[in-house]
Amino acid sequence: MSLDWFAPAQCVGYIAFVLGVACALQKDDRRFKLFMAGECLAYIVHFALLGNPTPVASTTMSLLRSVLALYTRSMWVAVGVVAMNLALGLTLATRMTDWLPLGASCIGTLALFLLRGVPMRLAMLCGTFLWIANNIIAGSIGGTALEIVMAVVNGTTIWRMARAARVAQPA
């Protein structure tokens, strides 16, 4: 399969890449969620241009959950978003790999609503690995690069946050 590195779909993927890296660098949970919402919006356009409807639906749910998570930490809202993700999967998934972005979105939803700090980022890292697999299968250059860099940057941020917490603890 030949990929055009500068096709409109790929260029939007590169925008998602920049927003995603900015997201992973955030230590503040609110700023993390804001950058994630921007990344999701770019991803929606990216996967729509690639003609891949399951990641479009999943990322639309991720955008919705990122915005909702800015305003509430309700377990019931999280359960509702996960249920919508599963309904989308039952409607759109035609092969097992279609469940990769949906699974990532479900993990991310639970993380954003129910967790904070390092545990939230560890759960998001698990979702990142599912997105890496999806993006390789979908032929998303920017998306694959984004998620690999996100894994490294998020891992580094997790390490920095854990180290800062250890230093802050009284001896």
Side-chain angles (χ1 to χ4, degrees), residues 42-98:
Y43 250 157
I44 290 166
V45 175
H46 172 67
F47 284 113
L49 291 172
L50 286 175
N52 205 332
T54 307
V56 169
S58 175
T59 306
T60 300
M61 292 306 305
S62 294
L63 173 62
L64 175 65
R65 65 117 200 262
S66 295
V67 172
L68 288 172
L70 287 166
Y71 300 103
T72 183
R73 292 184 43 83
S74 168
M75 181 183 66
W76 296 110
V77 174
V79 168
V81 173
V82 168
M84 288 190 291
N85 264 301
L86 296 175
L88 283 169
L90 294 172
T91 303
L92 296 173
T94 58
R95 56 188 193 261
M96 289 303 296
T97 57
D98 288 341

Side-chain angles (χ1 to χ4, degrees), residues 19-20 22-23 26 30-40:
L19 292 169
C23 170
Q26 302 306 310
R30 181 166 179 75
R31 288 179 54 89
F32 181 91
K33 293 171 187 177
L34 284 168
F35 275 98
M36 180 168 288
E39 173 196 356
C40 289

Side-chain angles (χ1 to χ4, degrees), residues 70-143:
L70 287 166
Y71 300 103
T72 183
R73 292 184 43 83
S74 168
M75 181 183 66
W76 296 110
V77 174
V79 168
V81 173
V82 168
M84 288 190 291
N85 264 301
L86 296 175
L88 283 169
L90 294 172
T91 303
L92 296 173
T94 58
R95 56 188 193 261
M96 289 303 296
T97 57
D98 288 341
W99 287 95
L100 292 169
L102 295 163
S105 186
C106 289
I107 291 168
T109 297
L110 296 173
L112 288 178
F113 280 93
L114 305 178
L115 303 172
R116 292 180 188 213
V118 171
M120 178 184 76
R121 284 161 182 78
L122 285 170
M124 297 301 288
L125 187 59
C126 292
T128 296
F129 292 122
L130 294 176
W131 272 111
I132 289 170
N134 175 77
N135 293 343
I136 290 169
I137 293 165
S140 167
I141 299 165

Side-chain angles (χ1 to χ4, degrees), residues 137-151:
I137 293 165
S140 167
I141 299 165
T144 301
L146 164 64
E147 297 301 335
I148 290 170
V149 170
M150 285 279 290

